Amino acid sequence: MTLRLLLLLGLIVPAVASVPCFAAAADRVALVIGNAKYPDADAPLTEPVNDARDLADELKRDGFNVDVLENAGGEAMRHALDRLYGKIKPGTVALVFFSGYGIQSNRQSYLIPVDAQIWQEADVRRDGFSLETVLGEINGRGAGVKIALIDASRRNPYERRFRTASAGLAPVIAPTGTLVMYSAALSAVVSDSGRDHSLFVQELLKEIRVPDLSAEETLNHTRVGVTRASRNEQVPWISSSLAEDFTFVTGPAGNRPAGGAAETNVTPPPAPTPSPTQVVVAPPAPPPAPPMPSPAPSPVQKADTPPPAPAPTATPAPAPPAASNSPSPEPNVAPTSTQVALADDPTVKSLSAKIAANPDDVSALYRRGQVYASKGAYDLAIKDFDDTIRINPKDVEALNNRCWARTVIGELQTALRDCNEALRLRPNFVDALDSRGLLNLKSGANKNAIADFDAALKINPRLTSSLYGRGLARQRSGAAQEGALDIANAKAMDPNVVQEFESYGVR
């Protein structure tokens, strides 16, 4: 099944008018990083550098001493963090913003420099920067308010080599006095928009400029704005343990710390304010369904680990015959609105150009199939996986992803063959176990579904899709209490898991 990958976090630091001795006296320091040019990516990201510049300008107007990095390698990020740590004194407000690629590994989120050499999961911990470690160091230097804003929930360029078993970013275990915001929900990823600025930073800048909003209100209003503007497709995640009130701008709009420029007063939308104790803000209730279907998460590989024996298979009800593994011509019909929209997607354009130049570019075919699957264009995804497998019949990732895509659209017999072949080639492949578990769940083979999900969870206990799927299968098998516990744990780790399974036709 799909592994959602890519990461987003946000850091923000507010200073409160009601406590002038703290707000006025405390130093404000910020490190702002925009990484766009990753050599491993097909093309540079369009948003991070512009977002970093605009946010840095705003923070300077709000009295922050800002260090800005663009397209920073590991050494540059390390030196910049050391400079940040050196500026912190007791009571300092410290803010970190990162836009680029992030990876979740071993239940932690890592910010990735542009020169990272990542071929296996251990390389993430070697070359990446743990957000928890950064916040812990800031706290250890005596910072009073710690804010992290992370816009890193993009599908990363390393997934062809290895994939973590949980996509997106991990929840942060942060010290008291910390406010963290990801630009998307835990374990969720969003595509680079191709625009000059991200929706997340656009909404964030609007709210920062509103005077006398607490930091928590600023971020809650940002979350509401992003959710509404994206029609509930992108729901930022917030965690707060602030013990001090903090505002970016106090008094009239022109009354900024350190003599900042005046701004137009903006009326914020109503939003709930979390308590000053540790809270995790759940996504708002979804609005009415939009005319276009919401994209389902794309299938992503998970880390390979030596594991238990594979689970038994199911024999699903008959389904349409298998599609041919040879390339098939496009039907002679007018393209749908989805196909038109996908043709304009910058990633699809780039990959399609590579395929036009070399029809046997297996990497481009596979990656375009992933993009199509992430957009819900499963027929197009399956065609690309067909061609990938035609070129390399032993491509277990393509076999698994085709199994998953076929399962979602109900082609259960052919999907089962794909999953079984992937597991024959790579026994205990966690992705294929997860995909086959979904297949068994959809076919009503609950016992076999539980066995597959059990095997997957032994390899990766935090695989939310297997945890939620096992909960459903247990409930359907009569183990209501055990099933409810699995479902509750899965929802706690990823609030979007229910919507994900509904998009697969599983409730």
Side-chain angles (χ1 to χ4, degrees):
M1 194 196 306
T2 180
L3 265 194
R4 297 138 299 192
L5 217 299
L6 278 278
L7 324 186
L8 322 161
L9 284 164
L11 297 171
I12 286 189
V13 193
V16 68
S18 61
V19 190
C21 61
F22 176 82
D27 291 335
R28 298 179 171 203
V29 298
L31 173 59
V32 175
I33 302 172
N35 281 353
K37 295 181 179 178
Y38 288 82
D40 288 284
D42 290 329
L45 298 170
T46 59
E47 301 164 348
V49 171
N50 292 328
D51 287 342
R53 291 174 181 174
D54 287 354
L55 182 60
D57 288 344
E58 178 61 34
L59 292 174
K60 289 174 184 176
R61 287 192 289 268
D62 296 338
F64 282 84
N65 179 345
V66 183
D67 193 1
V68 186
L69 269 66
E70 297 177 6
N71 298 313
E75 277 301 299
M77 286 180 63
R78 189 168 293 107
H79 290 320
L81 285 166
D82 286 341
R83 289 195 298 272
L84 177 71
Y85 302 150
K87 296 174 185 176
I88 295 172
K89 297 179 291 188
T92 295
V93 174
L95 182 149
V96 176
F97 170 83
F98 177 84
S99 180
Y101 287 118
I103 297 177
Q104 178 183 160
S105 175
N106 197 27
R107 305 184 189 183
Q108 291 194 40
S109 295
Y110 289 82
L111 314 180
I112 306 301
V114 296
D115 60 356
Q117 296 293 313
I118 295 176
W119 294 90
Q120 54 188 343
E121 189 167 3
D123 297 336
V124 176
R125 298 186 288 275
R126 181 197 67 199
D127 288 355
F129 293 83
S130 162
L131 180 62
E132 286 187 9
T133 300
V134 169
L135 290 173
E137 184 67 24
I138 291 172
N139 184 64
R141 299 297 179 107
V145 174
K146 286 79 65 178
I147 298 175
L149 303 170
I150 310 302
D151 193 359
S153 298
R154 303 173 177 92
R155 201 163 298 284
N156 71 66
Y158 311 105
E159 62 187 10
R160 181 66 176 165
R161 303 171 187 172
F162 97 98
R163 301 192 194 167
T164 57
S166 294
L169 299 178
V172 180
I173 300 174
T176 300
T178 302
L179 183 57
V180 176
M181 185 173 196
Y182 296 168
S183 57
L186 298 176
S187 302
V189 294
V190 294
S191 299
D192 191 56
S193 67
R195 298 187 295 267
D196 292 337
H197 297 84
S198 73
L199 174 61
F200 172 66
V201 171
Q202 285 178 325
E203 294 296 325
L204 176 63
L205 288 172
K206 288 181 191 176
E207 301 304 332
I208 284 181
R209 292 163 182 160
V210 179
D212 295 329
L213 276 186
S214 72
E216 288 178 338
E217 289 174 322
T218 296
L219 296 195
N220 269 297
H221 290 189
T222 299
R223 177 179 60 85
V224 171
V226 171
T227 303
R228 288 175 177 168
S230 67
R231 296 195 297 179
N232 213 46
E233 291 184 5
Q234 181 177 348
V235 182
W237 178 87
I238 303 171
S239 176
S240 174
S241 62
L242 284 186
E244 301 280 352
D245 287 333
F246 173 81
T247 60
F248 288 95
V249 182
T250 58
N255 207 7
R256 295 175 176 272
E263 295 288 345
T264 303
N265 203 355
V266 181
T267 302
T273 304
S275 70
T277 56
Q278 177 73 23
V279 295
V280 175
V281 180
M292 292 289 292
S294 296
S298 76
V300 182
Q301 297 167 234
K302 301 151 194 169
D304 242 346
T305 322
T313 65
T315 306
S324 169
N325 278 356
S326 57
S328 55
E330 294 292 330
N332 188 21
V333 295
T336 66
S337 57
T338 300
Q339 290 172 325
V340 172
L342 285 171
D344 288 333
D345 182 282
T347 304
V348 171
K349 277 186 176 180
S350 172
L351 293 171
S352 296
K354 290 185 176 184
I355 295 166
N358 177 13
D360 287 343
D361 187 334
V362 68
S363 177
L365 284 164
Y366 175 79
R367 295 192 65 184
R368 192 176 68 176
Q370 288 185 302
V371 175
Y372 284 150
S374 73
K375 304 290 186 182
Y378 298 110
D379 290 340
L380 295 175
I382 289 169
K383 287 179 182 178
D384 278 348
F385 296 142
D386 284 347
D387 285 344
T388 303
I389 295 163
R390 171 180 58 81
I391 298 165
N392 178 12
K394 294 184 178 181
D395 191 324
V396 293
E397 289 84 6
L399 282 164
N400 167 65
N401 288 340
R402 191 172 68 178
C403 169
W404 175 82
R406 284 174 163 172
T407 297
V408 171
I409 63 176
E411 295 180 357
L412 302 183
Q413 290 283 7
T414 52
L416 181 61
R417 286 200 289 270
D418 282 342
C419 273
N420 287 343
E421 178 64 6
L423 286 165
R424 185 188 71 80
L425 292 168
R426 186 185 294 176
N428 300 292
F429 178 24
V430 66
D431 282 340
L433 288 167
D434 189 45
S435 296
R436 197 172 67 183
L438 173 65
L439 186 157
N440 286 324
L441 188 64
K442 288 196 74 170
S443 70
N446 296 314
K447 194 172 181 182
N448 287 332
I450 292 170
D452 278 334
F453 290 137
D454 276 342
L457 288 165
K458 285 177 182 176
I459 300 168
N460 176 22
R462 291 184 60 84
L463 185 51
T464 54
S465 52
S466 283
L467 190 59
Y468 186 80
R470 188 178 69 179
L472 292 178
R474 281 176 164 175
Q475 286 189 330
R476 293 176 182 182
S477 299
Q481 190 170 355
E482 290 179 348
L485 180 61
D486 277 348
I487 289 170
N489 287 334
K491 288 165 69 175
M493 287 191 285
D494 180 5
N496 290 330
V497 69
V498 178
Q499 184 179 354
E500 177 190 333
F501 270 70
E502 287 178 351
S503 74
Y504 305 153
V506 178
R507 289 176 172 79

